[in-house]
Amino acid sequence: MYQLAPNIELLFTEAGDYHDRVRAAAAAGFDAVEMWGPTGRDAPAKPKDIPALKAALQETGTQLTAQLAEPRTQFMIPPKDHSFFYQCLDEGVAIAQDLGCPRMVVGSGTGFGGSKRQTQLDELIAIYEKAIAQIDGSGITLVLEPVNVRVDHPGSLLDRTSEAVYVARGVNSPNFGVLYDIYHSAVEGEDMAAELANAGDIVKYVQLADAPGRGEPGTGSLDWAEKFSVLRASGYDGPIGLEYYPTTESAASVAFVKEAAASA
């Protein structure tokens, strides 16, 4: 069975602060959670009480599967000063290590109309080659997330799984991979089986939400038995982040996806 990790920015908010959301997720039968940025530099994430969060994770035996790297940098927009990103990367890695989190999610930022797309993709490779060299030996993996531009992230440079795979192959590190988000991919009209076949083992994390609507599985039109079957056939056996906007109480919203994942 896949390990499911509710996103505590969106799920179990009924419990209160983030550390109490961890406890609520554990009480609902989960042994993992994910979150956005730890410091709240990027809206809508809020600052976390890291000691309290760590205590809740340890108390419940819950794994933090992923956190966002901060800040979400506009890498391609001049003057292209990335020094604050690299400075914050060290801070984020230290927090991830403290919380026992093995992955940090990174992005591409907005594309720049004054530069060729291929040039920007190659620039992104160079940026993340430097990032990986900087955190070498940390035990933290960076996962690059392509996001849809049709609904949620207009203007984003990386909106295709294949281009994220191109960047990840260019970085060429065992500590750098792709975050495949089933929701974003579906909104972009991608063929999941084809994208995962092309990506191979470079997919190092997966997230989901239903489409349309970005609610919990069962609220949209995606065939979740088929999606989990395709994911299993691709060879991916890692955790799956539940990054959706629940349309009902959190504990009730997870019932369908837990059953679908158990059957995969």
Side-chain angles (χ1 to χ4, degrees), residues 17-249:
D17 211 337
Y18 292 103
H19 45 278
D20 289 323
R21 298 177 196 182
V22 170
R23 293 185 177 94
F30 293 97
D31 62 1
V33 295
E34 64 168 26
M35 68 182 190
W36 294 341
T39 70
R41 284 194 179 92
D42 294 317
K46 297 178 181 179
K48 277 76 173 175
D49 181 336
I50 300 301
L53 184 59
K54 180 179 180 180
L57 292 168
Q58 292 180 337
E59 170 194 317
T60 59
T62 301
Q63 169 75 55
L64 181 63
T65 59
Q67 69 182 50
L68 291 188
E70 301 167 301
R72 292 296 239 183
T73 303
Q74 294 295 353
F75 291 114
M76 300 302 143
I77 308 300
K80 299 183 181 180
D81 180 2
H82 307 142
S83 56
F84 190 54
F85 168 78
Y86 292 116
Q87 175 187 329
C88 293
L89 182 62
D90 285 335
E91 179 186 9
V93 164
I95 293 172
Q97 290 173 324
D98 190 35
L99 295 178
C101 178
R103 300 172 192 81
M104 293 173 60
V105 180
V106 295
S108 67
T110 303
F112 179 51
S115 178
K116 290 183 178 179
R117 188 175 186 85
Q118 185 61 52
T119 299
Q120 294 178 75
L121 293 177
D122 290 337
E123 288 178 6
L124 205 58
I125 291 172
I127 287 165
Y128 283 124
E129 283 179 328
K130 181 178 178 180
I132 284 295
Q134 178 175 314
I135 67 170
D136 182 49
S138 68
I140 304 299
T141 295
L142 301 183
V143 289
L144 178 64
E145 181 180 22
V147 294
N148 81 80
V149 296
R150 298 183 181 184
V151 176
D152 299 279
H153 300 278
S156 177
L157 173 61
L158 275 186
D159 61 339
R160 310 300 299 174
T161 301
S162 60
E163 290 183 334
V165 170
Y166 169 82
V167 172
R169 287 187 175 138
V171 174
N172 191 28
S173 166
N175 296 317
F176 192 88
V178 169
L179 189 171
Y180 179 77
D181 189 306
I182 295 172
Y183 165 77
H184 287 305
S185 184
V187 171
E188 283 296 314
E190 294 184 337
D191 181 309
M192 180 176 175
E195 298 299 337
L196 292 178
N198 175 59
D201 61 3
I202 214 161
V203 171
K204 296 187 182 295
Y205 195 56
V206 169
Q207 289 177 326
L208 63 75
D210 215 331
R214 206 170 182 176
E216 65 266 23
T219 59
S221 61
L222 300 185
D223 182 337
W224 286 99
E226 185 253 346
K227 294 299 182 187
F228 278 114
S229 177
V230 169
L231 188 62
R232 182 66 74 188
S234 76
Y236 181 79
D237 60 0
I240 301 173
L242 307 183
E243 193 188 36
Y244 62 74
Y245 293 86
T247 65
T248 186
E249 187 265 337

Side-chain angles (χ1 to χ4, degrees), residues 1-4 228 232 240 255-264:
M1 177 179 174
Y2 280 111
Q3 182 184 47
L4 302 180
F228 278 114
R232 182 66 74 188
I240 301 173
F256 179 89
V257 69
K258 287 174 77 172
E259 182 178 349
S263 301

